[in-house]
Amino acid sequence: MRKAIALVSLTVAIAAATNASAVTVTLACGTVGQELQLCKDGATRWAKKTGNIVKIFESPNLTNDRLGLYQQQLAAKSSDIDVYQLDVVWPGFLAQHFVDLKGKVPAAEVNAHFKGIIDANTVNGKLVAMPWFTDAGLLFYRTDLLKKYGFSAAPKTWTELALMASKVQAGEQKTNKSFAGYVWQGKNYEGLTCDAMEWLVSFGGGTIVDSTGKITINNAQAAKALDTAASWIKTISPAGVTTYGEEEARGIFQSGNAMFMRNWPYAWALGQGDDSKVKGKIGVAPLPSGGSRNAATLGGWQLGVSTYSKNQAAAIELVRYLSGPAEQKIRAIEGTYNPTIQALYKDKDILKANPFFGSLYSVFTSAVARPSGPTKGKYNQVSQAFSSTVSDVLNGKMKGQAAVAKLSTDLARIKGRGW
Ligand code: GLC
């Protein structure tokens, strides 16, 4: 592993020439969309300010691959990475490897963040990481095509979405064979867990496991939600959707080849970029309802300091800087990374760059958590069992009802005597 890190890491900031006490901190950055660049930029600003050196470790872009790599590092008690970027569903099972930031980050700084996100980062009283940005699933759509096909608003229900997507797809395919009605994350990985949870909750089918730890997946609404999603494949979504992650879906939408896309907010800044074919033609709405409610899965990333780090003091300073308001503001404006600091949702510059941060504020505050809290150390197994089952339904191997019944049994086995 040491070798792998040396190969992909690069020094981004050497501002230490005049600072005899400079330390080197290695920061693991994500690589989805503009993530890597913005992470490097922030690290560089901190390095310049403090005279320290930051090395960047480039993480793979699928969250499951990142987790695998980080778990290897942490299990080996490696000191190679000082600051890790943690997915909101990880603190529960990675807590033991991270420094308790309570008391080390001033309480006023901690309390400026949404309480729910601080809670998600607090495991048995330990503050495992500081929130960096939050995420919620959104529906992106083409405003120009909405108008062209005579629709007045984004779809409010999945039924409406399917009807609209199929009309636009039929029309556009006359001149563009690769045009798709709806693109989303259908590959078997954590991203599918996120999309599929949105379907379940929107149909009133629960959250796989409820907040008390009870397995709730075996119900008719959940089955209906999965069957509905399966019906989109090869009708309004291309067969290939079962291999898409976030970036594949974004690539199709941004090149002008889709009417609707489910994605995280980061897709906005890129879609409005100068090299985007859909610049100025993008609308953002809540994901449709399946009859129960509009549902967005809560995502997001935090920064934690490894207990194996040899430079903990400097690493904590880096985390405070990156998770602080100035840096969150820059990232919100340049990359549409949703701040975790509540006050920033009133910032005029941020709202100007991302109008939907204001108009869809309630989507962000009512986003639904995956069951990582109640399933604790077993969350990853639960999520993998869920996404594999969903994948079987999408690929036509099973119908919804049989799938949720089987999954319920599998989850009971994973749960054993308790989570
Ligand atoms: C985004 C979310 C994260 C989620 C991942 C799934 O990165 O922020 O929470 O697990 O997507 O692909």
Side-chain angles (χ1 to χ4, degrees), residues 32 35 61-64 66 85-90 133-136 185 189-195 245-246 262-266 297-302 370 379:
V32 178
E35 245 190 326
N61 78 21
L62 284 189
T63 181
N64 299 59
R66 276 200 223 184
Q85 210 182 303
L86 305 186
D87 196 337
V88 68
V89 285
W90 297 350
F133 64 95
T134 182
D135 261 348
Q185 292 71 46
Y189 77 119
E190 185 64 26
L192 178 57
T193 293
C194 296
D195 286 40
E246 285 83 3
R262 185 273 178 208
N263 219 323
W264 305 103
Y266 85 98
T297 294
L298 177 72
W301 292 82
Q302 349 294 315
R370 283 161 275 173
Y379 172 72

Side-chain angles (χ1 to χ4, degrees), residues 249-321:
R250 182 176 69 81
I252 293 170
F253 186 78
Q254 204 172 303
S255 53
N257 289 326
M259 172 64 198
F260 296 112
M261 166 178 72
R262 185 273 178 208
N263 219 323
W264 305 103
Y266 85 98
W268 171 259
L270 291 158
Q272 296 291 32
D274 286 335
D275 57 352
S276 164
K277 290 233 168 66
V278 293
K279 181 179 179 178
K281 301 174 180 166
I282 309 175
V284 189
L287 285 161
S289 166
S292 177
R293 57 169 280 195
N294 302 93
T297 294
L298 177 72
W301 292 82
Q302 349 294 315
L303 295 168
V305 174
S306 162
T307 43
Y308 317 114
S309 161
K310 299 211 165 70
N311 302 300
Q312 291 184 11
I316 292 169
E317 287 314 305
L318 176 59
V319 167
R320 285 181 61 193
Y321 177 81

Side-chain angles (χ1 to χ4, degrees), residues 127-415:
L127 182 58
V128 177
M130 284 295 287
W132 197 22
F133 64 95
T134 182
D135 261 348
L138 298 170
L139 182 72
F140 292 83
Y141 62 95
R142 290 279 298 278
T143 50
D144 57 329
L145 296 178
L146 197 77
K147 213 164 157 204
K148 177 173 168 188
Y149 289 87
F151 298 112
S152 55
K156 301 239 171 338
T157 63
W158 292 113
T159 313
E160 250 176 71
L161 176 136
L163 287 170
M164 290 166 76
S166 107
K167 183 167 174 195
V168 177
Q169 182 179 286
E172 293 300 297
Q173 279 191 354
K174 286 184 189 144
T175 50
N176 176 6
K177 282 272 161 276
S178 15
F179 192 89
Y182 184 37
V183 292
W184 38 280
Q185 292 71 46
K187 186 185 168 97
N188 181 3
Y189 77 119
E190 185 64 26
L192 178 57
T193 293
C194 296
D195 286 40
M197 258 219 16
E198 286 158 353
W199 310 330
L200 295 191
V201 176
S202 78
F203 275 85
T207 55
I208 314 162
V209 171
D210 74 10
S211 58
T212 67
K214 188 171 164 231
I215 299 164
T216 58
I217 187 65
N218 191 4
N219 70 79
Q221 289 308 105
K224 192 170 164 200
L226 300 186
D227 286 333
T228 302
S231 77
W232 301 332
I233 296 179
K234 296 197 214 153
T235 56
I236 55 167
S237 301
V241 75
T242 54
T243 63
Y244 297 170
E246 285 83 3
E247 285 292 86
E248 288 79 9
R250 182 176 69 81
I252 293 170
F253 186 78
Q254 204 172 303
S255 53
N257 289 326
M259 172 64 198
F260 296 112
M261 166 178 72
R262 185 273 178 208
N263 219 323
W264 305 103
Y266 85 98
W268 171 259
L270 291 158
Q272 296 291 32
D274 286 335
D275 57 352
S276 164
K277 290 233 168 66
V278 293
K279 181 179 179 178
K281 301 174 180 166
I282 309 175
V284 189
L287 285 161
S289 166
S292 177
R293 57 169 280 195
N294 302 93
T297 294
L298 177 72
W301 292 82
Q302 349 294 315
L303 295 168
V305 174
S306 162
T307 43
Y308 317 114
S309 161
K310 299 211 165 70
N311 302 300
Q312 291 184 11
I316 292 169
E317 287 314 305
L318 176 59
V319 167
R320 285 181 61 193
Y321 177 81
L322 291 176
S323 61
E327 203 49 46
Q328 289 209 0
K329 176 166 176 174
I330 296 173
R331 292 171 53 82
I333 292 172
E334 293 182 359
T336 326
Y337 289 105
N338 277 65
T340 56
I341 296 174
Q342 207 159 344
L344 291 177
Y345 286 82
K346 299 217 168 72
D347 184 290
K348 289 203 176 66
D349 305 326
I350 293 181
L351 291 173
K352 190 169 168 235
N354 311 297
F356 64 91
F357 277 13
S359 58
L360 299 185
Y361 184 68
S362 65
V363 170
F364 300 114
T365 52
S366 64
V368 183
R370 283 161 275 173
S372 55
T375 58
K376 303 187 189 112
K378 294 181 180 169
Y379 172 72
N380 213 33
Q381 276 171 277
V382 169
S383 177
Q384 278 176 12
F386 177 61
S387 67
S388 301
T389 305
V390 175
S391 186
D392 283 346
V393 177
L394 297 178
N395 287 309
K397 292 192 190 138
M398 252 195 259
K399 288 279 179 230
Q401 190 52 63
V404 294
K406 178 179 177 293
L407 178 60
S408 186
T409 313
D410 292 348
L411 293 181
R413 197 174 313 121
I414 294 171
K415 181 175 180 182

Side-chain angles (χ1 to χ4, degrees), residues 82-92 94-102 105 109-110 113-123 125-133 300-306 315-316 319-320 323 328 340:
D82 301 286
V83 177
Y84 284 84
Q85 210 182 303
L86 305 186
D87 196 337
V88 68
V89 285
W90 297 350
L94 294 183
Q96 84 219 63
H97 302 291
F98 288 88
V99 171
D100 186 358
L101 297 174
K102 198 171 261 173
V105 174
E109 263 173 62
V110 175
H113 296 261
F114 285 109
K115 186 175 177 301
I117 305 179
I118 292 294
D119 289 349
N121 282 292
T122 306
V123 179
K126 174 174 175 176
L127 182 58
V128 177
M130 284 295 287
W132 197 22
F133 64 95
W301 292 82
Q302 349 294 315
L303 295 168
V305 174
S306 162
I316 292 169
V319 167
R320 285 181 61 193
S323 61
Q328 289 209 0
T340 56

